[in-house]
Amino acid sequence: MTHRKSIFRLLLAALVLSVFPALAQAPGDVRIALVIGNGAYAKVPLANPANDARAMGETLRGLGFRVIEVRDGSRAQMADAVELVRDSLKGKQGIGMLYYAGHGLQMDARNYMVPVDASLSKAADVTAQTVDVGSVISAFRVAGNRMNIVVLDACRDNPFGGITTGKGLAPLDAPSGTFLAYATAPGNVAEDGDVKSGNGLYTQYLLQELKNPQARIEDVFKRVRLAVRKASSGRQIPWESTSLEDDFRFNDGRIVAAVKPTAEQLQAEFAPEKADWDRISGSRNPDDFYAFLQKYPSGTVADAANARLNQLARPSLLVQGASPDGQDLSYTRSLFRAGDTFETRSTMSQGQGLTTTQEKVLVASGGEIPIEVTFNMPGQPPRVMTKLYDPEGGFIGMKGVMRNNPPVYLAPSGLLQVGSSWKQASQIEMLIPNVPKLPPSTTIAKITARERVTVAAGAFNTYRLEQETLYAPGGVVRRQACTFWVAQDIPMPIRTECSSEGTHPHTSTTELVRYTRGG
């Protein structure tokens, strides 16, 4: 066994050296990918993983990666390949990538790649006979990589369900410096594709997008997600988690420091997107919104387009263990129901004291959702106004006062995930006479952590969302920075902390006091 292992390692090393350029490369230029495709299982074979690995290896080599490729690998061969990748990257400050196609499973919140020689009949066999995805991530960490990319097309229908602790793969928050991509949302099943296609459904579209000359990593995977969602009629929706702070482009291997856009840059980006949005916003054809998102996958109107797509082609996925407490959740967030009542308490600076608010959902079907708001401010009689939302929770505006076009969303549609970042802009249309037209409001936001928070309404498992909004009313820029704690299953924030700069700077804190579910 030791002799065979040594021979296999030598063969792998020879393969890697044969594609290494002779010239030395500067730190950060080294890109090495471990590509594994397992399909030749004795009892549960898969048609396409070996083809997937072959095609992925060829594509990545064409993009400048050095590729270590294993097809239909045993556990020993896979473990040797992991060691070789680690040793080849060590000290290079490079980029490590894992692409795996084949059977995968989860157990106790860990994900495992299944070798073709595995014979799994009990839980103990999993750790003894498979390869932990975490071992590859650890190898990348030991190597000291600047960036890691992990792609798992390993969510096929699980033939080992009796010994696992969940369906599909377990959700993970990407470790520092890592981009983590699954072929479908955690806890769900991906399609292997057919023999005629030659590739799994997910890999088929990933290969196409990697060849895009402007293959920015987040745009690549957003476009793949859209294409797979459309091709599978919503049965399969890929999922990503990222902790990357920099931008990376596959076609040239550059890592570029991400620069925070200015209000002016976002407003300039918004102008052509809004023109396209206005042409399709009333459409009932999902293809119009798929096309829009393929054109602007990370645009300022992407949230509105995704929300509209959910209205027209709502996913029905359940996500196994996606919440912080391990409970099943719908792919989309809980939305408003008629009769929902939210009571909040706000504390503001500038001597404004304590404000309480009650919001009640009047109607929650059809188009605009009216929510009656009663403001109780110190020294003033109660004031009643009506907020308007769309069916996906987008804030349309205040009745008789102002409207947002497109609606503004607190969080992105779909599953909340640490590392998600987005930007949005909206034209503010004032409905009060003699009020001048305002420039678009612009926002950048990111989900930074999972946190359990306690407020008057109780204790909640939440996601911490950091948001910065830039306005330019009257030509004077005013910045507002807010932190929201949001839960997947409650439409309103659990807690909000904001600070505003400008003509009237102030701070405020709002928390949920009581929540009653309607319907």
Side-chain angles (χ1 to χ4, degrees), residues 293-313:
L293 287 163
Q294 284 289 351
K295 185 176 181 180
Y296 306 112
S298 302
T300 59
V301 188
D303 281 340
N306 270 309
R308 185 75 175 123
L309 188 56
N310 280 344
Q311 291 178 48
L312 299 172

Side-chain angles (χ1 to χ4, degrees), residues 392-467:
E392 294 297 308
F395 178 54
I396 296 173
M398 303 292 291
K399 187 175 181 179
V401 178
M402 55 80 66
R403 292 180 70 88
N404 289 317
N405 182 21
V408 175
Y409 298 85
L410 173 63
S413 59
L415 180 65
L416 297 178
Q417 178 57 44
V418 174
S420 296
S421 61
W422 63 97
K423 54 192 175 185
Q424 64 179 323
S426 181
Q427 184 65 58
I428 302 173
E429 301 171 354
M430 300 304 297
L431 305 179
I432 301 174
N434 302 319
V435 175
K437 181 179 180 180
L438 298 177
S441 66
T442 55
T443 299
I444 54 176
K446 184 173 185 177
I447 298 176
T448 58
R450 301 179 193 247
E451 293 183 355
R452 187 167 177 83
V453 299
T454 300
V455 295
F460 298 86
N461 291 316
T462 70
Y463 293 83
R464 180 187 176 104
L465 190 158
E466 305 284 349
Q467 183 185 93

